[in-house]
Amino acid sequence: MRILLLSDTHDSLEKAMEVYKKLRAEAPLDYIVHCGDFYEDAMEIKARTGANVIAVKGNCDGCHSRDEYKILETEAGDFFICHGNAFDVSFSQQTLYYNASDKGCIGAVFGHTHRGVFADINGFYMINPGSISKPRDGSSGTFGLLITSDNEVWCKIYDYDLFMADAKTAGAVAKGSGGSGGNGGNGGKKAKVQGGHLRELINYSDRF
């Protein structure tokens, strides 16, 4: 599966639509995931493209509940989709990790911080596509591309300007490939995160 990851578009879709068109010209997209703020933006993307869109609401959509999540099923395993504010991801990703792993997921895709990140923590994937329209990490805006197969998970966080300037982008699974603003990862369902790895992830998230 090939999945475009977006979050925190905040009523500004020009860049998101340009990215969609470029990715779609390279290869089909199975899903677009939107992690909230604004939910209406996700519905607008769906109306414009006819794509399969999975979307959740965020704090700017008036949602502060941990029940606002969806599960994305892939060949490699399930991903927990949420905005992240209800799990306090600006301070720590520990609560989100436990909630996602308790539901049997191999990863979590979230937003809220406006900062792109991809971390493969012993086979559990924490992915934040950042914000393509209102970044807080000094980038021109970021989004994510997630590619899965039966035994592979690959993800990259792209900087918008670099992506649009590059004539060639990742259109297929690339083992161990690095990403702009994040790292590539490979592997399917692996062992759950152990304490030391989880502490490393929490410490990383505290830098947001």
Side-chain angles (χ1 to χ4, degrees):
M1 295 175 68
R2 192 166 181 260
I3 304 152
L4 169 60
L5 307 177
L6 298 168
S7 189
D8 297 278
T9 46
H10 288 274
D11 197 29
S12 180
L13 292 179
E14 181 179 353
K15 288 183 176 180
M17 292 304 301
E18 289 176 351
V19 164
Y20 168 80
K21 290 175 182 178
K22 183 172 180 179
L23 286 174
R24 183 63 182 82
E26 294 172 352
L29 286 167
D30 295 285
Y31 286 99
I32 299 174
V33 169
H34 193 293
C35 296
D37 284 0
F38 292 161
Y39 183 82
E40 291 84 355
D41 289 350
M43 298 300 99
E44 178 66 18
I45 291 172
K46 183 176 183 178
R48 291 191 196 181
T49 66
N52 296 318
V53 175
I54 297 176
V56 293
K57 294 182 179 180
N59 54 290
C60 290
D61 302 305
C63 183
H64 303 276
S65 171
R66 291 184 181 177
D67 293 330
E68 179 64 17
Y69 71 87
K70 292 184 178 176
I71 302 295
L72 170 64
E73 297 180 357
T74 78
E75 313 95 320
D78 295 345
F79 285 82
F80 187 92
I81 311 297
C82 69
H83 184 61
N85 60 303
F87 298 95
D88 298 319
V89 296
S90 293
F91 302 100
S92 169
Q93 295 172 7
Q94 181 178 18
T95 300
L96 175 57
Y97 162 74
Y98 282 127
N99 275 264
S101 60
D102 283 349
K103 291 176 174 57
C105 295
I106 65 167
V109 184
F110 62 101
H112 189 57
T113 66
H114 293 225
R115 298 173 184 269
V117 62
F118 169 63
D120 175 356
I121 309 299
N122 198 28
F124 189 91
Y125 305 96
M126 298 297 283
I127 307 171
N128 187 331
S131 172
I132 199 167
S133 56
K134 295 183 180 294
R136 296 173 183 165
D137 55 6
S139 71
S140 65
T142 59
F143 66 94
L145 180 63
L146 174 65
I147 300 175
T148 63
S149 64
D150 288 339
N151 58 1
E152 193 96 39
V153 172
W154 183 93
C155 184
K156 182 172 180 177
I157 306 300
Y158 286 93
D159 178 282
Y160 168 80
D161 279 351
L162 295 177
F163 173 79
M164 295 306 295
D166 188 359
K168 295 181 180 179
T169 57
V173 174
K175 292 185 179 181
S177 175
S180 173
N183 298 317
N186 59 356
K189 289 188 176 181
K190 298 180 181 177
K192 286 189 176 180
V193 179
Q194 301 301 314
H197 294 287
L198 181 56
R199 283 193 295 273
E200 179 183 336
L201 174 59
I202 295 167
N203 291 337
Y204 180 85
S205 69
D206 287 343
R207 299 174 194 169
F208 287 179

